[in-house]
Amino acid sequence: MTEDLSAIFSPERLSGGGPGPLYVKLRRTLEEAVKIGRLKQGDALPPERDIAEFAAVSRVTVRKAIDDLVAEGILVRRHGSGTFVTKPVSKVEQRLSQLTSFTEDMARRGMTARSEWLHKGIHTPSPDEMMILGLAAGTKVSRLSRLRIADDQPLAIEHASVSGEFLPDPAVVTTSLYAELEKRQVRPVRAVQRISATNMKESDAGLLGVPVGAAGLSIERISYLGSGRAVEFTRSLYRGDAYDFVAELTIGAT
Amino acid sequence: MTEDLSAIFSPERLSGGGPGPLYVKLRRTLEEAVKIGRLKQGDALPPERDIAEFAAVSRVTVRKAIDDLVAEGILVRRHGSGTFVTKPVSKVEQRLSQLTSFTEDMARRGMTARSEWLHKGIHTPSPDEMMILGLAAGTKVSRLSRLRIADDQPLAIEHASVSGEFLPDPAVVTTSLYAELEKRQVRPVRAVQRISATNMKESDAGLLGVPVGAAGLSIERISYLGSGRAVEFTRSLYRGDAYDFVAELTIGAT
DNA sequence: GTAAATGGTATTTTTTTGGTATTGTATAGG
DNA sequence: CCTATACAATACCAAAAAAATACCATTTAC
């Protein structure tokens, strides 16, 4: 991770960052890195000594740049530990009783949602996928993985597997998977979700900016056509501290 | 066996395992060993002292690496015995689309369910309870807490608060709260559940027999009469490693 | 029951990281 | 010319994390 960050603080980038004293340039550089998401909420900055070395300035200069951002509340210092991008998040609710896209869902709550694609590709199905999607031997499956982000806060990781028959080329999906399926006249009408809690492993925790072992809400969804044929299989992992579902139930028939 | 494992934990492999503190490298190494099947489910890890020697680090460092994997639920420690790769726990499903009692639910799945009462009593309502149940000043609330056990395995903690008006004496409830309410002609017809994931605190983890920080499924339910009046407010905490919910959705109306 | 093996914990030391005081340098204003 | 101020560098301080050491508690084997 540190080697990636060294790029942010290279002397060349600082000089190109406009006029003013060194610490102002550094501050702008840092501010930009946070703003564009290069440094995400909860991330630790490299140690001041390292930044100073990368940027070829003294540590005090680095501190002065950071001072301003701390005063703005963008960064938080912890003595002996490090400097971190501030992280409070508000909880979001989702109505379980309807199946909507993440983007629509966030928009309804007045949050700006975006995604970062982690992967798009077409593959030979895993045994799980074959069974769940009911695939014949020789058929392929499209896999799409993305990081769901709301108000610049990573909120969930989503892995979708779609039968290649319904989506031969995953690259065409840019925003909504459902919209793309709709274009192809593929309209799921029913879905089953399995909801469970799990402790996050390192890779997922890292992506979502939470500590290893943090509670996550795992949701597996299979959606079906009217014919009963399975279309799509999605596994999502939501941050437990930032998301919850609301379900409305009616008491009655078994 | 031991000589094979020494290869896994050799200092060279640790150094090559990327950046970060020793214990992080060790954790990655262990995680990988489990993932690729070098360490299979049920296998015992070598003793911490041996790993420490192989990897040329202290035992505490080894423990710290293992700590994280235990927090993720990948490994399980047994004092005096060893550390083992976790066996998969058979998960129990619950249909979210209907509101049933725990006992019925388990019975349907062929499991013997029982409860241990942790508390029964009548109290002055907390602000939360007053607001949610819509209680007037001076009214009381019945609180019932129990540990839900399925096949001698603690599965959930349940705290119920019922308006004193509907249940003046909590002591009369022996098995089913709903049955008792039914007797009094109190029939909730609708409920709203909020589902979220959380890391368990010590007191809850102790009751459920899981490590502190383990993922739990938290479910808050408020049930209503036909009139719209709130009857009962229940907070449940299920073991994340042994329970999941299944929800069936229909795509359509907002 | 005892001893060996194994995980658990408390304490200490070392390393890492932010915090602060001091000094030097250049520039603007009197 | 001197001084006040902003900027930057050096050196040292303090808190936290990482790692090592030593000892405790439980389980298992005999």
Side-chain angles (χ1 to χ4, degrees), chain B:
Chain B
M1 180 60 107
T2 318
E3 54 282 339
D4 305 37
L5 295 178
S6 67
I8 299 181
F9 305 108
S10 64
E12 302 77 49
R13 278 184 80 154
L14 292 197
S15 334
L22 280 177
Y23 78 96
V24 173
K25 296 181 194 168
L26 228 184
R27 181 184 63 197
R28 274 196 294 258
T29 306
L30 275 167
E31 204 168 7
E32 191 63 18
V34 173
K35 193 169 293 179
I36 67 173
R38 180 67 196 79
L39 285 169
K40 301 189 189 89
Q41 289 183 338
D43 278 3
L45 260 62
E48 295 173 351
R49 287 169 180 81
D50 291 1
I51 299 182
E53 194 186 337
F54 293 146
V57 296
S58 92
R59 215 189 111 211
V60 189
T61 305
V62 173
R63 283 186 60 75
K64 203 164 182 187
I66 294 179
D67 280 344
D68 290 343
L69 298 175
V70 168
E72 285 178 42
I74 294 178
L75 299 179
V76 153
R77 283 193 170 109
R78 272 186 276 167
H79 196 166
S81 175
T83 303
F84 302 84
V85 180
T86 310
K87 297 186 304 188
V89 192
S90 72
K91 291 212 175 192
V92 179
E93 293 179 358
Q94 164 167 338
R95 294 235 148 228
L96 233 192
S97 47
Q98 63 201 62
L99 186 62
T100 55
S101 79
F102 182 82
T103 318
E104 294 169 17
D105 203 355
M106 291 300 111
R108 193 175 304 121
R109 281 153 193 79
M111 306 183 75
T112 56
R114 60 189 178 89
S115 299
E116 277 176 21
W117 287 103
L118 302 173
H119 173 81
K120 288 184 199 178
I122 192 146
H123 302 265
T124 303
S126 72
D128 261 15
E129 288 168 333
M130 289 194 63
M131 217 169 58
I132 291 171
L133 298 176
L135 300 180
T139 57
K140 295 283 186 178
V141 67
S142 291
R143 290 192 196 138
L144 304 112
S145 298
R146 52 182 154 180
L147 189 61
R148 297 293 203 172
I149 300 166
D151 280 349
D152 292 322
Q153 188 81 17
L155 202 60
I157 301 166
E158 188 183 284
H159 301 284
S161 302
V162 190
S163 179
E165 178 184 343
F166 299 123
L167 186 72
D169 179 12
V172 301
V173 178
T174 53
T175 54
S176 166
L177 171 59
Y178 280 118
E180 199 56 40
L181 290 173
E182 171 80 11
K183 271 191 202 167
R184 297 170 200 287
Q185 313 290 323
V186 179
R187 296 190 186 86
V189 298
R190 190 178 140 264
V192 175
Q193 290 194 156
R194 171 177 301 198
I195 304 160
S196 61
T198 178
N199 292 98
M200 291 200 198
K201 59 184 182 184
E202 195 189 348
S203 54
D204 293 334
L207 280 170
L208 293 177
V210 294
V212 171
L217 208 54
S218 163
I219 298 173
E220 296 176 0
R221 181 180 63 206
I222 307 172
S223 51
Y224 300 90
L225 294 179
S227 65
R229 175 81 190 278
V231 175
E232 164 242 16
F233 169 47
T234 301
R235 288 157 296 145
S236 305
L237 183 64
Y238 288 80
R239 286 179 52 171
D241 63 344
Y243 210 73
D244 53 23
F245 285 82
V246 173
E248 191 162 353
L249 314 176
T250 310
I251 301 174
T254 303

Side-chain angles (χ1 to χ4, degrees), chain A residues 120-182:
Chain A
K120 287 185 200 177
I122 192 146
H123 303 265
T124 303
S126 72
D128 262 15
E129 288 168 335
M130 287 195 65
M131 214 170 58
I132 292 171
L133 297 177
L135 299 180
T139 57
K140 295 282 185 179
V141 67
S142 291
R143 290 195 196 135
L144 304 114
S145 299
R146 51 182 155 181
L147 189 61
R148 296 293 204 171
I149 301 166
D151 279 351
D152 291 323
Q153 186 76 25
L155 202 61
I157 301 165
E158 188 183 284
H159 301 283
S161 301
V162 191
S163 179
E165 179 184 343
F166 298 123
L167 186 72
D169 180 13
V172 301
V173 178
T174 53
T175 55
S176 166
L177 171 59
Y178 280 118
E180 199 57 40
L181 289 175
E182 171 80 12

Side-chain angles (χ1 to χ4, degrees), chain A residues 81-97:
Chain A
S81 175
T83 303
F84 303 83
V85 180
T86 317
K87 76 173 232 183
V89 270
S90 59
K91 281 219 175 195
V92 188
E93 291 180 359
Q94 165 165 337
R95 293 234 149 231
L96 232 193
S97 47

Side-chain angles (χ1 to χ4, degrees), chain A residues 99-119:
Chain A
L99 186 62
T100 55
S101 79
F102 182 84
T103 318
E104 293 169 15
D105 203 355
M106 291 301 112
R108 193 176 305 121
R109 283 155 192 76
M111 307 183 74
T112 55
R114 60 187 178 88
S115 299
E116 278 176 20
W117 287 103
L118 303 174
H119 172 81

